[in-house]
């Protein structure tokens, strides 16, 4: 059986994460790999039940610690019900947002103590640390514009609607986290064309999963 891998995508709003997750999934499936695509908050029935509470802003009045615990509850269910069984079964799991979103959105811009965030992580991630995390880096002004045009008439969610300054702090926080642990993270300029971004992503992923023959990838 092939070894499973866990790869997460992170970054600000409108960075193109879901498009790139789909492209990578297709490229890996073409190579004969079993791929599971998932996302947070959500990804399992239990976590999907909590998703609406978080994104509607229903938990916002109770503070960022409350929100962090809800994200953690959702993550724990998602890890145990979906991610771990798939990776142990030999699949490559691609997840649109994971623990680094909590570190940045709740920890940094929610002003929560690192100790508190680390305790939550220990319980929720429970050893299921990503093999690779791809940070899609984009100027927040450009990202928010993309996110707004994608959304059309519907309202921005509780996190997207925050000020540009907060989105800038999030961008800086993702970059700082990535630079502090270069073995696990790769930073990719999401302002480039979707094709260029996809090519850089697959190059990095093939290295991590131990298939480096780039000439086969198109
Ligand atoms: P969603 O519409 O699913 O995705 P995206 O913005 O990536 O297209 O929105 C998820 C929102 O939840 C997004 O604004 C980031 C936020 N979030 C957190 O604040 N903490 C977390 O741990 C996660 C997973 C997401």
């Amino acid at each position: 059986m092939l070894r499973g891998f866990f790869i997460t995508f992170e970054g600000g709003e409108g960075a193109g994460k879901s498009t790139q997750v789909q492209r990578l999934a297709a490229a890996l499936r073409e190579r004969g790999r079993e791929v599971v695509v998932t996302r947070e908050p959500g990804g399992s029935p239990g976590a999907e039940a909590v998703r609406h509470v978080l994104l509607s802003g229903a938990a916002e009045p109770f503070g960022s610690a409350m929100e962090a615990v809800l994200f953690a509850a959702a993550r724990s269910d998602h890890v145990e019900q979906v991610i771990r069984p798939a990776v142990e079964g030999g699949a490559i799991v691609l997840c649109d947002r994971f623990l680094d979103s909590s570190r940045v959105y709740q920890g940094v811009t929610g002003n929560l103590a690192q100790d508190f965030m680390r305790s939550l992580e220990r319980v929720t991630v429970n050893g299921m640390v990503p093999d690779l995390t791809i940070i899609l880096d984009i100027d927040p002004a450009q990202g928010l514009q993309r996110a707004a045009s994608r959304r059309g008439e519907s309202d921005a969610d509780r996190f997207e609607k925050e000020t540009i300054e907060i989105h800038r702090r999030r961008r800086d926080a993702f970059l700082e986290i990535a630079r502090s642990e270069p073995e696990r993270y790769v930073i990719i300029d999401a302002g480039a064309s979707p094709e260029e971004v996809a090519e850089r992503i697959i190059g990095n992923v093939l290295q991590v999963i131990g298939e480096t023959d780039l000439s086969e990838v198109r």
Side-chain angles (χ1 to χ4, degrees):
M1 191 179 83
L2 291 168
R3 199 202 124 176
F5 288 91
F6 180 32
I7 299 171
T8 57
F9 283 70
E10 298 277 8
E13 315 290 327
K17 291 184 301 303
S18 38
T19 308
Q20 293 299 334
V21 166
Q22 293 302 338
R23 279 180 174 251
L24 177 61
L28 292 170
R29 284 180 183 131
E30 259 178 48
R31 301 176 72 91
R33 295 297 308 236
E34 186 195 340
V35 180
V36 172
V37 170
T38 188
R39 60 117 191 242
E40 289 203 350
S44 63
E48 290 291 334
V50 180
R51 177 181 169 90
H52 176 71
V53 176
L54 286 161
L55 299 191
S56 66
E60 188 178 3
F62 309 109
S64 54
M66 164 76 107
E67 289 179 312
V69 173
L70 289 170
F71 274 111
R75 181 161 304 130
S76 172
D77 191 70
H78 186 211
V79 165
E80 302 310 336
Q81 301 300 320
V82 174
I83 299 171
R84 193 187 311 280
V87 172
E88 286 179 354
I92 300 178
V93 175
L94 307 181
C95 188
D96 187 344
R97 294 195 185 276
F98 192 61
L99 77 107
D100 296 298
S101 281
S102 282
R103 287 183 181 174
V104 168
Y105 283 72
Q106 282 66 56
V108 176
T109 56
N111 295 311
L112 295 175
Q114 280 211 1
D115 274 2
F116 176 75
M117 294 307 294
R118 283 207 201 96
S119 312
L120 283 181
E121 269 179 29
R122 261 197 305 280
V123 181
T124 57
V125 173
N126 193 15
M128 203 66 232
V129 178
D131 296 293
L132 174 69
T133 294
I134 294 158
I135 308 275
L136 291 184
D137 178 52
I138 191 150
D139 171 40
Q142 196 186 341
L144 288 169
Q145 208 167 33
R146 275 197 203 168
S149 57
R150 183 186 61 196
R151 209 176 352 94
E153 300 288 289
S154 54
D155 290 341
D157 72 40
R158 177 256 177 276
F159 298 97
E160 187 188 329
K161 72 177 170 21
E162 285 175 309
T163 63
I164 186 91
E165 282 67 34
I166 291 182
H167 289 289
R168 292 211 172 96
R169 282 177 60 206
R170 289 175 178 153
R171 180 194 200 181
D172 291 345
F174 276 123
L175 294 175
E176 198 182 314
I177 290 173
R179 287 178 188 133
S180 72
E181 219 187 304
E183 324 74 55
R184 171 154 83 88
Y185 296 90
V186 55
I187 301 168
I188 292 184
D189 174 9
S193 73
E195 291 70 29
E196 276 174 86
V197 173
E199 215 156 295
R200 288 205 52 203
I201 290 174
I202 187 80
N204 280 282
V205 168
L206 293 183
Q207 270 182 18
V208 168
I209 69 173
E211 297 181 36
T212 45
D213 185 3
L214 289 175
S215 61
E216 282 177 45
V217 182
R218 275 292 162 260

